[in-house]
Amino acid sequence: MNKISFPDYKCDVLIIGSGVAGLSLALRLADNYKIIVLTKSKLNESSTLYAQGGIAAVFDKKDSINYHIKDTLISGNGLCDKEVVSFIIKNAESCIHWLINNGVSFDTNSTKIKNKSYHLAKEGGHSHRRIFHNADCTGREIENTLIKKVLQHNNISIFEYSIAIDLITFKKFNSLIPRRAVGAWVWNCNKKQIESYHAKAIVLATGGASRVYQYTTNPEIASGDGIAIAWRAGCRVANLEFNQFHPTCLLYTHEEGPNFLLTEALRGEGAWLVRPDRSRFMLSIDKRAELATRDIVSRAIDYEIKNNNIDCVYLDITHKSEQFIRTHFPIIYNKLLNFGFDLTKDIIPVVPAAHYTCGGVIVDKLGRTDINGLYAIGEISYTGLHGANRLASNSLLECLVYAWSASKSLMKTLPSINYFGSLPVYDNKINNKKYHLNVNELELNSYISKIRKSMWNHVGIVRNIKSLKHAKNEINLLKKEIDKYYNNNYFSEKLLKIRNMSQVAKLIIHSAIKRKESRGLHYVQEYPDLLSRAIPTILIPNNYKK
Ligand code: FAD
Ligand code: SIN
């Protein structure tokens, strides 16, 4: 048991999360404001770090903004917000320039920008080549380059291994002015103590929640913390039933994952999906074949696996030259060698895995949530871009555009915001918490694995009413147990994580039960058809606007 104390940190903007969304926002603000970036693990650990394919942006002469908009809308299956889609796609070009100006390097060869020619890749659902990439490790290039910049900036302070627990919000008694976010309670993993951070504005850039699924491409940090934190604080969430399953991950190597991704750019360069007898199955399903959108390809693979009682299907790019494969996909080639596969000669066993949270915390075009002073940007957010199924490589783009638009909004509002004189009285529930090292670790591990299995088995690629209800009961029971621990002042890093995972799992199931149709990533056997009106699923917490 360790001492709990309350050191107090102060800054203009508190950014929670150090993926591309958080880091690019920090850099856009830091010349004028004091920024603190909190991150729950090592500075570069994030989904961003593992992004392979790249960032979609229109640069090819044969391409156009309208084609990119159209592809995004088709992929989103009637549920995208057209205005937001257009807003993001029109701002893609300037965001690519911003990255290049900040030192990010993209593969070159075909499209000219300022005397340089860039190689644009293709992915599922894209009618044209438009993916900026750095071989097959685009995320690593972006994350590490931005980190170098952030570390050089005097106005940015970084706190690693600092887990945001909850927000501190404030409303003057009887005031008509809505509640405002004034800080956050944070668990310092090294010192084993709770700390409080004061800020004029707070930005959640905590990424997605795909770790609530047993098999996922996402790193451990993707436990949906920000979504749960925002929900508890009173923010609405939308479209959480649309969790995207990436079609091609290396056949599950271990349950704890992450499961190694085989980028869609492989199919963009001609790789086929085949059965064990090497016959292609996508040709009869969609005219785009292997380059259909992810919802369609994942469902086709799921069907092949279940119908033929096989463990996986295979990715086959052996018809391309060895030199081409090794130049375009060096990381994947080498990683697969460690698993005993030669990408240039072998067909590779693949299965779908949870990959991306299309829904999230509702924000406007400036990244503002329902609470004053609280922003949410990146995968945590629901902007309206992705609809019922995100188009490949539109996520990094959304992170960058919203970091830019939130920075504009913050620069406009910050000059008129003052710090709160002192923080509101600490919530005793937090103040009294005792850190229990190793307490019931085994039980907590079993909670995590139960949540992830339940979500995978019952809220997966193909759903039905009975299994959604089963998952609902299972997760509700687990959540009650977990909340009991937490409310009885038990406290550990793992408990914080499970508290958030169980909350987000509950919200996903609730959203999935509400949607009585099949659309995009949400396929329910009893409701195979589309309803005529496409409406987002919005969940409203009890404390909304209080
Ligand atoms: P992240 O990059 O996930 O960062 C979240 C940050 O929040 C982390 O620093 C984390 O530590 C921190 N955090 C979380 N909770 C807390 C807490 N409680 N307290 C403090 N800090 C916290 N998209 C594309 O567009 N193109 C691609 O090619 C592509 N490839 C992908 C490949 C893989 C394997 C994966 C997993 C995803 C891929 N995606 C891709 C999706 C894309 O990478 C993510 O959506 C995007 O990087 C999310 O960025 P972010 O900044 O919102 O969150
Ligand atoms: C991939 O490289 O296949 C992932 C791209 C994405 O998630 O947008």
Side-chain angles (χ1 to χ4, degrees):
M1 195 161 61
N2 297 48
K3 200 170 132 256
I4 308 271
S5 62
F6 289 93
D8 193 6
Y9 298 95
K10 224 173 194 179
C11 59
D12 292 313
V13 184
L14 176 65
I15 299 176
I16 305 175
S18 60
V20 63
L23 295 180
S24 50
L25 176 63
L27 286 170
R28 285 192 184 267
L29 290 171
D31 287 345
N32 300 304
Y33 297 101
K34 288 267 175 220
I35 309 295
I36 288 181
V37 177
L38 297 179
T39 189
K40 88 189 218 186
S41 172
K42 249 185 9 198
L43 180 55
N44 69 353
E45 185 59 353
S46 57
S47 286
T48 303
L49 184 68
Y50 301 97
Q52 293 184 357
I55 308 176
V58 172
F59 278 79
D60 191 323
K61 275 204 194 93
K62 286 180 233 127
D63 196 4
S64 77
I65 300 264
N66 282 342
Y67 287 142
H68 190 180
I69 291 177
K70 192 173 162 203
D71 293 345
T72 303
L73 295 177
I74 291 173
S75 186
N77 221 317
L79 259 187
C80 300
D81 179 325
K82 288 185 188 153
E83 206 186 308
V84 168
V85 171
S86 162
F87 165 69
I88 292 178
I89 288 171
K90 283 181 180 158
N91 281 299
E93 183 179 342
S94 64
C95 286
I96 294 284
H97 284 301
W98 185 85
L99 284 176
I100 294 170
N101 292 338
N102 275 286
V104 173
S105 153
F106 292 112
D107 280 11
T108 50
N109 94 32
S110 68
T111 303
K112 293 209 160 133
I113 309 175
K114 289 190 193 158
N115 305 325
K116 256 200 173 174
S117 73
Y118 286 88
H119 177 264
L120 300 176
K122 199 168 179 221
E123 290 179 10
H126 287 276
S127 57
H128 288 76
R129 284 191 171 263
R130 62 169 77 102
I131 319 291
F132 276 76
H133 65 106
N134 182 304
D136 51 358
C137 51
T138 313
R140 194 173 72 185
E141 169 66 14
I142 295 173
E143 181 73 15
N144 291 340
T145 306
L146 296 185
I147 282 177
K148 266 190 221 143
K149 285 267 169 184
V150 159
L151 292 176
Q152 284 161 9
H153 210 297
N154 285 337
N155 267 351
I156 304 177
S157 311
I158 309 277
F159 293 86
E160 292 179 301
Y161 300 98
S162 297
I163 306 176
I165 304 169
D166 271 314
L167 295 169
I168 307 170
T169 59
F170 186 74
K171 184 175 192 307
K172 279 198 188 121
F173 184 63
N174 267 347
S175 160
L176 292 176
I177 302 168
R179 222 146 38 94
R180 166 156 214 102
V182 294
W185 281 298
V186 175
W187 177 250
N188 181 323
C189 302
N190 295 325
K191 294 188 183 155
K192 305 279 177 234
Q193 65 185 17
I194 294 172
E195 299 173 342
S196 56
Y197 284 72
H198 273 194
K200 292 179 181 170
I202 296 150
V203 183
L204 293 167
T206 48
S210 287
R211 289 294 296 195
V212 299
Y213 283 94
Q214 183 178 8
Y215 298 112
T216 174
T217 62
N218 283 205
E220 276 230 38
I221 55 97
S223 44
D225 294 10
I227 298 173
I229 288 171
W231 172 262
R232 285 193 294 267
C235 295
R236 290 167 306 152
V237 295
N239 277 7
L240 283 170
E241 67 275 35
F242 298 109
N243 204 286
Q244 183 170 71
F245 295 84
H246 194 293
T248 56
C249 302
L250 189 62
L251 179 64
Y252 315 129
T253 38
H254 50 88
E255 284 193 4
E256 292 310 310
N259 300 103
F260 185 61
L261 181 78
L262 295 168
T263 176
E264 200 154 308
L266 281 157
R267 279 174 283 135
E269 296 299 347
W272 298 321
L273 284 166
V274 297
R275 302 187 179 98
D277 66 2
R278 291 201 164 202
S279 57
R280 288 172 72 185
F281 53 88
M282 283 309 299
L283 289 168
S284 60
I285 290 172
D286 193 288
K287 65 176 189 306
R288 296 163 293 181
E290 279 84 358
L291 287 178
T293 49
R294 282 185 190 164
D295 49 346
I296 294 169
V297 181
S298 289
R299 215 153 35 241
I301 296 176
D302 188 67
Y303 175 82
E304 286 295 325
I305 289 174
K306 287 178 183 154
N307 201 42
N308 299 323
N309 202 13
I310 48 181
D311 289 337
C312 59
V313 296
Y314 295 84
L315 197 65
D316 181 359
I317 193 167
T318 55
H319 44 284
K320 288 281 185 180
S321 77
E322 177 170 347
Q323 197 209 348
F324 176 87
I325 295 171
R326 291 181 63 166
T327 315
H328 281 79
F329 306 106
I331 301 286
I332 295 176
Y333 172 79
N334 283 314
K335 182 95 179 186
L336 286 177
L337 283 182
N338 295 337
F339 285 104
F341 298 108
D342 181 342
L343 186 62
T344 67
K345 296 191 178 69
D346 299 323
I347 56 172
I348 313 297
V350 292
V351 283
H355 181 62
Y356 184 83
T357 310
C358 291
V361 178
I362 295 181
V363 294
D364 66 9
K365 276 199 279 182
L366 301 174
R368 294 179 301 190
T369 68
D370 291 327
I371 294 179
N372 257 348
L374 180 67
Y375 291 69
I377 57 168
E379 190 171 335
I380 177 183
S381 65
Y382 165 79
T383 62
L385 173 67
H386 308 306
N389 176 46
R390 174 176 69 96
L391 183 66
S393 287
N394 264 356
S395 168
L396 295 173
L397 174 61
E398 185 190 47
C399 294
L400 289 160
V401 172
Y402 274 75
W404 164 75
S405 69
S407 76
K408 293 268 161 225
S409 163
L410 284 160
M411 283 195 259
K412 209 163 152 192
T413 52
L414 281 169
S416 60
I417 302 174
N418 294 318
Y419 287 111
F420 267 77
S422 60
L423 276 186
V425 179
Y426 293 121
D427 178 346
N428 270 337
K429 278 191 192 137
I430 296 256
N431 206 2
N432 291 332
K433 286 211 177 300
K434 306 281 183 289
Y435 186 70
H436 295 259
L437 270 179
N438 298 325
V439 98
N440 291 313
E441 281 292 289
L442 280 180
E443 201 173 348
L444 295 184
N445 282 339
S446 97
Y447 283 150
I448 295 188
S449 121
K450 277 183 190 157
I451 293 172
R452 299 182 72 203
K453 282 196 174 125
S454 183
M455 293 299 286
W456 183 260
N457 291 331
H458 305 298
V459 200
I461 296 172
V462 173
R463 303 160 179 187
N464 64 59
I465 297 173
K466 193 170 157 204
S467 76
L468 287 176
K469 283 191 178 149
H470 184 87
K472 180 180 165 186
N473 293 337
E474 235 172 13
I475 299 293
N476 280 351
L477 276 176
L478 281 168
K479 189 170 181 311
K480 273 192 192 134
E481 290 287 306
I482 292 159
D483 288 347
K484 203 160 72 193
Y485 264 116
Y486 193 80
N487 293 333
N488 284 330
N489 293 328
Y490 280 81
F491 192 76
S492 79
E493 280 138 35
K494 206 163 266 174
L495 190 57
L496 280 181
K497 178 164 145 187
I498 308 172
R499 177 177 175 240
N500 292 329
M501 284 173 80
S502 58
Q503 178 63 74
V504 176
K506 190 174 168 177
L507 295 171
I508 294 175
I509 297 167
H510 188 167
S511 309
I513 288 175
K514 274 186 94 171
R515 185 167 292 281
K516 299 199 175 353
E517 63 167 348
S518 289
R519 183 185 294 277
L521 296 156
H522 177 69
Y523 186 85
V524 191
Q525 285 168 325
E526 290 85 348
Y527 309 116
D529 301 321
L530 277 181
L531 292 178
S532 51
R533 271 190 71 211
I535 309 171
T537 309
I538 295 179
L539 303 183
I540 304 176
N542 291 335
N543 54 348
Y544 172 59
K545 293 276 184 203
K546 270 187 195 156

